Structures are given as structure tokens and as C-alpha cells.
Amino acid sequence: MGFFLFLFLSLSLFKLTSAACHADDQAALLAFKSGITQDPSGLLTTWKSGTDCCTWAGVNCLVNNRVTSISLVGQPDKPDSFLTGTISSSLAKLTYLDGIYLQNLRNLSGKFPGFLFGLPNLKFIYIENNKLSGQIPANIGNLTQLQALSLSGNQFTGIIPSSIAALTQLTQLKLGQNILSGKIPANIGKLKNLTLLSLDHNQLTGQIPNIFSSLTNLRILRLSFNKLSGQIPSSIASLAPKLQYLELGHNALSGKIPDFLGKFQALDTLDLSRNKFSGTIANSFANLTKIFNLDLSYNSLTDPFPVMNVKGIESLDLSYNNFHLKQIPKWAISSPIIYSLKLAKCGLQLNLSEFQPSETYFYDYIDLSDNEIVGSPVGLLNRTDYLVGFWASGNKLKFDLESLRIVKTLKTLDLSRNLVYGKVPEGVSGLEKLNVSYNHLCGQLPANKFPASAFIGNDCLCGSPLPPCK
């Protein structure tokens, strides 16, 4: 009897302590829901009046049954997992809120939510991959308690407010994939706790400020896809011990690639592609033993290229510089995990029939265009099961196209301006892009969706989209 009395009292006590969420919080969340006009995947179906809002999908209550975070995340691979509407200012009632995570919802619109300034416990803002627009508020620096601010993947315009330097507790600042313009504020150097700074895919101009000597906790620096100019600032050298991702591609940066980058021994990814870098690369690059992704393509870099001591590179792109490598680097061929090898116009002089990488299983992308390569790619490509793209235009490859095994994953095949012969196999019909122009192919084309430009300049091809066979 005593045991059952104990159990009854325990359950009664549990009911008292697990009371439903606060009425203000429920009203705030239901008002948010009423501002949503489309919810095709039912992200908010559990948000119903009269039920405990602490049990609703995406809602957490960690303090006194008060809502402490909202986390609504769409799935990029599911087309219907989005929300259309605006972010209701009624969320200002959630005074215990410490985190708001509205990510990949795609169709949330409106300005920066001003009510966030009135939430005293707010530490984390992740409003990513939506359609918010307008300017980032000039007084954003008033949110001094913030530890993470991400507004990436929206449509914000204007400058990055200088008051952002007051957010000295920030460990993450992500403003990438917007339409921000102007210069990078130099006082961002005051954010000494930053581990991630991402300003990529904007329209930022001017030089990269020389502010990094105080940002020694940075692990990730992403400034790619802007209009930045000038040289890589010397203070970036102070990031050497910890930096893992340095992404400066698709800008207008110039000068020599600094020798000090050879000291970045924690570096996983270095992207300096599509800039105006010139000169040689320091032999100290051999020290980048942990690098997995190296992209120096589309610059004006010159020989010699240093021998790397990588343990296993995943992707390498040295295309369209002034290199004369002659052979594919052994340190790339020997990598057991390489999936992307792009060496277009790198002065390669080899017989592709003799190219024997140690492992072809992971290859997704191979670009050997505009070199002096002879032989056949069949031995290489017929050993790959997951190839997505192969580019080898502008060489002297000579083989029967019908001997090529076209795997299901292959999307792009460019063999233009070579010495390829035989018929065009039916397997090409499943490709998204094909170019076999200017070879020695002959015969009737299989049913295909490609333009005539994909086939012109051959010996005797016929059939749609070329003239019919006689």
C-alpha cells in the first residue's frame, strides 16, 4: 500500500512540475504560425491551441516551462519543406528565448526582425537561407550578448554596419550569400572570439583589411565570390596554428601568393581560384600535409610547382595558369581518396593509356582539357563507377568512342577537338552535357537532346540534330 501511495504522490508531483507552457509563449507562437501562409510539408502541424507548446515540433522549454529556443529547419533535398510568410513580431513575448533557428525555410520574407532587440537572453540567431531583405540594422551592435549571428543566404543589401564590432561575444559571424556591398569593416578585428567568419557571395569591395592578428581563434575564413582587390594581408599569417578553411576565390586579389601560407599546417581547404595572383608558389607549400582541397585555378601562376607531402588529397585544381607540369603529379595520383582532378591547360605531355592512378573508385570529376595528351582514356574511365564529369577537349586522344563505358552517374562528357573515331554510342543519351565535335566520328546518331554544335566537325555523322542520313 505504501508503495502505491508513493507512486501516486510522485505522479501528482510530476504533473505539477510538468505544467503546460506559459500562456504568453503559446500566444506568441500561435501568432507566428498565423503569419505563415504556406506550410506544405506540415512543419507546424503540432502547433495547436490548447496543447502544451513545449511539446510542439521545433520548440524547446528548458527553464520554468518557458520557451528557450525555436528551431524550424527545412530540408534542402525536399522541395515542399519550406514556409511562406513573415516572422511575427509577437515573438517578442518569448522573453526566455536564447536561440532562434529558422534555417532553409526558403520563403520567409520581410526585414530584419526588430523584436530581437527586446529579447534579453538571446544568444544565437540563425536565420539562414530565406528571403529576408532590406539592410542589416545600423544598431545591430546593441545585441551585445550574442554568441552567434548568421543571416546567410538571404537578400540583405547595403553595408555591413560598423557597430557589429560591439558584438565581442561572437564566435560565429555568417553574412554570406546576400547582396551586401561596401568595404569589410576594419573593426571586425575586435571580435577576438570568432572561430568562423563568413562573408562570401556578396558584392564587397576594397582590400581585405589587415585585422587578423587579433583573430587567432579563427578556424574558418570565407571571403570568396566578392569584388575584393589588393594583396592577401600580412596579418593572415597569425592564423597559421588553427585555420582550417581559407577561401578567397572569385575576387580580384593580386600579387604573389604569400610564402607564409606554407605554415598553415592545420589547413584542410585553400581556395585562391579566379583571382589575379602571379609568380611562383613557395616550396614551403610542401608543409601543407593535411590539405584535402587545393584550388589555385584561373590565375597567372608560373613554374615550378612544389612537390607536396600530402597524406591524401581529395580535390586538386591547378587549371588555367602558366604551369608546364608535363606529368600529373605523383602525390595526386597516389592519393587513395581523390575525387576531383582538374589540370586543364597545365602543360601535360603524357600518354593517357599509361595513366595508372592508385585508386579510381572515388573519382567524380576529371578535367584534362587543353593539354598535349595522347592515347586513350578508356582504361581509366572504365575503372570508375561514379564519374560525374570528364573533360578532355583540345588534346590528341585517339580511341573508339564505342569502347567507352558510360556509367549512370555521368552527367558531362567533353571530348571535342581530339582524334576520336567510331560511332556515337546510345549511352550518351542519358547525359546532361555532351561535346564530341571536331573528331573523326561517323554513322547515325542515336536519339539525343543535344544541339548540332555538340557533333559538328566530324567525318560523317548524320541524323538529328544534324542532317538526315542518306
Side-chain angles (χ1 to χ4, degrees):
M1 184 71 179
F3 171 75
F4 290 108
L5 182 63
F6 170 77
L7 189 62
F8 173 76
L9 290 172
S10 298
L11 288 171
S12 302
L13 188 63
F14 176 75
K15 286 180 180 176
L16 286 171
T17 55
S18 60
C21 72
H22 196 282
D24 286 351
D25 293 357
Q26 184 178 93
L29 293 172
L30 290 173
F32 171 84
K33 183 178 180 179
S34 70
I36 301 301
T37 56
Q38 291 183 48
D39 177 14
S41 66
L43 284 170
L44 304 179
T45 49
T46 58
W47 292 34
K48 294 177 180 175
S49 181
T51 62
D52 182 359
C53 74
C54 291
T55 65
W56 295 354
V59 177
N60 271 315
C61 303
L62 297 178
V63 179
N64 300 328
N65 294 314
R66 300 301 300 261
V67 173
T68 52
S69 73
I70 304 171
S71 180
L72 297 172
V73 181
Q75 303 298 320
D77 56 335
K78 295 181 180 176
D80 67 340
S81 72
F82 63 87
L83 294 179
T84 301
T86 55
I87 303 173
S88 170
S89 59
S90 65
L91 296 182
K93 295 178 181 176
L94 302 178
T95 53
Y96 283 75
L97 200 70
D98 74 3
I100 183 165
Y101 308 86
L102 304 174
Q103 298 165 288
N104 300 318
L105 300 172
R106 297 204 274 276
N107 288 346
L108 287 182
S109 56
K111 307 292 188 203
F112 179 89
F115 68 83
L116 297 177
F117 288 100
L119 297 176
N121 298 299
L122 193 63
K123 294 185 176 67
F124 305 97
I125 298 175
Y126 287 87
I127 304 178
E128 300 177 333
N129 300 322
N130 291 291
K131 288 182 179 170
L132 272 63
S133 58
Q135 299 198 355
I136 298 173
N139 62 337
I140 191 80
N142 290 351
L143 293 167
T144 52
Q145 74 279 13
L146 278 189
Q147 295 179 18
L149 173 62
S150 177
L151 303 174
S152 64
N154 283 287
Q155 298 170 6
F156 288 109
T157 53
I159 64 168
I160 300 173
S162 59
S163 74
I164 214 158
L167 306 181
T168 54
Q169 302 300 311
L170 281 187
T171 60
Q172 295 194 354
L173 176 59
K174 299 171 65 181
L175 302 178
Q177 295 169 297
N178 282 286
I179 319 169
L180 300 171
S181 55
K183 296 184 176 182
I184 298 173
N187 58 5
I188 282 182
K190 294 179 180 178
L191 306 181
K192 296 180 180 180
N193 293 312
L194 280 184
T195 61
L196 186 159
L197 175 59
S198 176
L199 306 176
D200 57 291
H201 291 82
N202 280 292
Q203 297 178 11
L204 300 172
T205 54
Q207 298 191 2
I208 300 173
N210 203 18
I211 56 174
F212 297 96
S213 52
S214 59
L215 300 180
T216 53
N217 289 309
L218 268 186
R219 304 286 200 285
I220 300 171
L221 176 59
R222 292 189 168 127
L223 304 177
S224 296
F225 291 90
N226 280 290
K227 299 175 181 178
L228 301 169
S229 56
Q231 299 189 6
I232 294 178
S234 58
S235 62
I236 281 188
S238 58
L239 306 181
K242 297 180 180 177
L243 197 72
Q244 295 172 326
Y245 296 84
L246 178 59
E247 299 174 15
L248 306 177
H250 292 257
N251 281 291
L253 301 170
S254 59
K256 195 173 183 289
I257 293 177
D259 293 359
F260 61 65
L261 288 183
K263 297 178 181 176
F264 282 57
Q265 294 187 22
L267 210 56
D268 173 296
T269 296
L270 176 62
D271 181 4
L272 303 178
S273 63
R274 295 182 187 266
N275 280 287
K276 299 177 181 178
F277 292 116
S278 58
T280 57
I281 295 168
N283 286 329
S284 61
F285 262 54
N287 297 327
L288 302 179
T289 56
K290 293 182 180 177
I291 200 157
F292 286 112
N293 306 286
L294 177 62
D295 190 349
L296 304 177
S297 61
Y298 293 91
N299 282 288
S300 300
L301 302 168
T302 55
D303 297 322
F305 193 87
V307 176
M308 305 283 285
N309 292 321
V310 287
K311 293 183 173 67
I313 198 154
E314 292 180 342
S315 67
L316 174 67
D317 194 347
L318 304 178
S319 303
Y320 298 105
N321 282 283
N322 296 317
F323 294 131
H324 301 86
L325 300 181
K326 294 190 176 178
Q327 298 294 315
I328 298 173
K330 289 181 180 178
W331 49 268
I333 298 173
S334 62
S335 172
I337 56 173
I338 191 164
Y339 69 84
S340 179
L341 178 66
K342 296 183 177 181
L343 299 172
K345 203 180 180 186
C346 279
L348 296 177
Q349 300 173 342
L350 66 137
N351 186 330
L352 202 56
S353 305
E354 299 168 0
F355 175 51
Q356 297 288 336
S358 63
E359 181 58 74
T360 58
Y361 182 83
F362 292 107
Y363 271 114
D364 290 342
Y365 305 96
I366 301 175
D367 188 351
L368 302 174
S369 307
D370 299 314
N371 283 293
E372 298 172 48
I373 301 175
V374 299
S376 167
V378 172
L380 169 66
L381 299 190
N382 285 9
R383 288 172 58 203
T384 64
D385 289 326
Y386 301 102
L387 197 68
V388 178
F390 181 71
W391 298 262
S393 63
N395 284 288
K396 296 178 180 177
L397 297 178
K398 191 174 184 179
F399 67 101
D400 184 346
L401 187 56
E402 285 190 298
S403 64
L404 190 65
R405 183 172 69 101
I406 297 175
V407 293
K408 291 180 180 178
T409 53
L410 193 66
K411 299 282 192 292
T412 302
L413 179 64
D414 186 349
L415 295 168
S416 59
R417 295 179 290 121
N418 277 285
L419 306 171
V420 186
Y421 57 90
K423 291 184 176 181
V424 176
E426 290 186 7
V428 302
S429 60
L431 301 176
E432 291 179 3
K433 293 181 180 179
L434 173 70
N435 191 348
V436 290
S437 61
Y438 300 98
N439 281 286
H440 296 300
L441 298 165
C442 200
Q444 179 158 355
L445 289 170
N448 71 85
K449 61 192 176 206
F450 304 110
S453 58
F455 303 108
I456 59 170
N458 278 284
D459 292 356
C460 45
L461 286 178
C462 59
S464 180
L466 298 178
C469 299
K470 294 176 182 177

